[in-house]
Amino acid sequence: MEKNVLVPVAQGIEEMEAITIIDVLRRAGARVVVASVDDLTIKAARGIEFKADCLIKDCREQSFDLIVLPGGIPGAENLQKSEALAELLKKQAAQKKLYGAICASPAVVLHPLGLVTPGAVTCHPGFAGRIEGGTVQDRNVVIDGPCITSKGAGTALEFALTLVRQLFDDKVLADVKGGLAL
């Protein structure tokens, strides 16, 4: 059964995180929709440009098995400003469907929406102090119910593989790892 994944992006997003998540999930066979909260052409944190598939506002009526946010600054701050994204994330959490974030996004986007506390979470160490009432863990990836979080660009591949494992079976995960020569 095909899995539908939404990867919201914004100007200034961390490109290594975004592209790693998109690539690994597509290798697993997920239908990944890359939706921008601002313009279709994204200029990422390190100047790399890429195109989103659509705008986030066009995804409001769709259903996703996973919504996963890359981080980076100012990318996470730009994601946090999107009312359409906030609605989608709240709906996803209310339906107990998978959602996740990496780097700054657990603290900057998920925490203000009440989607990481109380509970175990990780994020970029520079943002851990922004998560009040949660149990911030010094781990690369943390799974707490439907919420999956990760530290940052250096953990992006581990995070993406964890997302594959949450969506698919061991065979798909093994196939993806084999293709990546892991």
Side-chain angles (χ1 to χ4, degrees), residues 153-170:
T155 64
L157 181 57
E158 181 180 350
F159 180 54
L161 291 169
T162 300
L163 298 173
V164 168
R165 181 60 194 103
Q166 295 299 303
L167 289 170
F168 298 98
D169 61 25
D170 289 335

Side-chain angles (χ1 to χ4, degrees), residues 56-64 87-88 91:
I56 196 81
K57 65 181 181 151
D58 300 325
C59 297
R60 284 184 162 155
E61 302 304 317
Q62 296 180 46
S63 177
F64 296 96
E87 289 173 21
L88 283 162
K91 178 179 157 188

Side-chain angles (χ1 to χ4, degrees), residues 100-169:
I102 187 170
C103 191
S105 286
V108 174
V109 183
L110 296 183
H111 177 64
L113 297 173
L115 300 180
V116 294
T117 53
V121 63
T122 193
C123 65
H124 190 282
F127 292 86
R130 292 190 186 190
I131 299 179
E132 302 165 2
T135 307
V136 179
Q137 298 184 0
D138 185 18
R139 293 179 36 213
N140 289 349
V141 178
V142 172
I143 301 170
D144 188 9
C147 182
I148 305 125
T149 53
S150 189
K151 277 188 170 180
T155 64
L157 181 57
E158 181 180 350
F159 180 54
L161 291 169
T162 300
L163 298 173
V164 168
R165 181 60 194 103
Q166 295 299 303
L167 289 170
F168 298 98
D169 61 25

